[in-house]
């Protein structure tokens, strides 16, 4: 197994993001990766970019806790409240950057040139210049102490729910 993938998987195990090594016989949204009921399935033989593991894991980590179990296949199509996805996408990018820096690998592992619709270089500059991109949500969800503390993460899995409680 690729050493970068091995480091990323060790990190996910340490922070308890659910994942499973799998073998796919079908195409997936991202090659080698599939979310299924809140668990990240990884086919290392089909994986193109190790950093994509962290981005998909970031979706699990920052997802509204009451909906985490719904994450399957295309994260934009599986949720009951699709409006949350825009913020969670940005937060997942910030989370994955914090994670790759915590692991001690270059940011470009996550923000590789073939991802993010051609915006990888711009995103790398945003994070290098300490500009805000997802950090306010991580702070609002008590995952980081403040935006100034980024990339230091206090809790890697979001516990704060913004979903309204249902009174029965």
């Amino acid at each position: 197994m690729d050493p970068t993938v091995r480091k990323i998987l060790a990190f996910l195990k340490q922070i308890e993001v659910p994942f499973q090594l799998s073998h796919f016989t079908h195409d997936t949204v991202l090659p080698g990766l599939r979310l299924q009921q809140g668990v990240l399935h990884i086919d290392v033989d089909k994986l193109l970019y190790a950093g994509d593991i962290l981005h998909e894991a970031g979706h699990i980590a920052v997802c509204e806790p009451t909906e985490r179990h719904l994450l399957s296949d295309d994260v934009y199509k599986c949720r009951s409240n699709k409006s949350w996805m825009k913020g969670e996408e940005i937060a997942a990018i910030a989370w994955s950057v914090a994670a790759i820096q915590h692991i001690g690998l270059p940011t470009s592992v996550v923000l590789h040139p073939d991802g993010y619709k051609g915006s990888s270089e711009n995103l790398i500059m945003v994070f290098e210049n300490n500009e805000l991109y997802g950090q306010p949500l991580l702070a609002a969800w008590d995952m980081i102490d403040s935006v100034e503390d980024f990339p230091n993460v206090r809790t890697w899995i979001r516990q704060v729910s913004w979903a309204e409680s249902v009174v029965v």
Side-chain angles (χ1 to χ4, degrees), residues 3 9 12 39 45 51 57 59-60 67 73-74 79 85 97 99 103 113 127 133 135 138 150 159-160 167:
L9 295 181
L12 295 183
V39 177
D45 294 328
H59 281 294
I60 295 170
E67 295 211 346
D73 297 316
D74 186 339
R79 304 285 299 284
M85 275 311 304
V97 168
I103 294 168
F127 288 104
Y133 192 93
Q135 301 93 321
L138 298 178
F150 184 85
Q159 301 302 315
V160 173
V167 179

Side-chain angles (χ1 to χ4, degrees), residues 135-146 153-162:
Q135 301 93 321
L137 283 171
L138 298 178
W141 297 329
D142 293 331
M143 297 176 77
I144 60 177
D145 288 323
S146 69
V153 174
R154 182 168 18 100
T155 182
W156 288 100
I157 309 291
R158 176 182 170 188
Q159 301 302 315
V160 173
S161 175
W162 284 358

Side-chain angles (χ1 to χ4, degrees), residues 9 16 27-28 47 56 58 62 65 68 76 105-106 108 118 125 127-128 137 141 150 153 156 159 168:
L9 295 181
E16 300 180 357
D27 291 337
T28 54
L47 183 68
E56 291 303 291
V62 304
R68 195 170 285 134
Y76 285 94
L105 296 170
S108 60
M125 288 191 322
F127 288 104
E128 285 177 352
L137 283 171
W141 297 329
F150 184 85
V153 174
W156 288 100
Q159 301 302 315
V168 187

Side-chain angles (χ1 to χ4, degrees), residues 68-167:
R68 195 170 285 134
H69 69 283
L70 297 175
L71 291 176
S72 293
D73 297 316
D74 186 339
V75 295
Y76 285 94
K77 295 179 181 175
C78 64
R79 304 285 299 284
S80 65
N81 191 329
K82 293 179 182 16
S83 66
W84 291 339
M85 275 311 304
K86 292 177 184 173
E88 288 179 10
E89 176 69 29
I90 293 167
I93 292 170
W95 184 95
S96 64
V97 168
I100 202 69
Q101 291 178 2
H102 178 83
I103 294 168
L105 296 170
T107 304
S108 60
V109 170
V110 169
L111 300 176
H112 57 81
D114 290 329
Y116 306 95
K117 299 178 182 175
S119 297
S120 297
E121 280 187 42
N122 290 336
L123 287 169
I124 289 171
M125 288 191 322
V126 162
F127 288 104
E128 285 177 352
N129 293 329
N130 296 317
E131 296 176 28
L132 296 181
Y133 192 93
Q135 301 93 321
L137 283 171
L138 298 178
W141 297 329
D142 293 331
M143 297 176 77
I144 60 177
D145 288 323
S146 69
V147 294
E148 293 80 18
D149 288 334
F150 184 85
N152 299 315
V153 174
R154 182 168 18 100
T155 182
W156 288 100
I157 309 291
R158 176 182 170 188
Q159 301 302 315
V160 173
S161 175
W162 284 358
E164 292 187 28
S165 298
V166 177
V167 179

Side-chain angles (χ1 to χ4, degrees), residues 46-61:
K46 291 188 171 64
L47 183 68
L48 295 182
Y49 299 99
D52 288 347
I53 297 171
L54 282 178
H55 180 77
E56 291 303 291
H59 281 294
I60 295 170

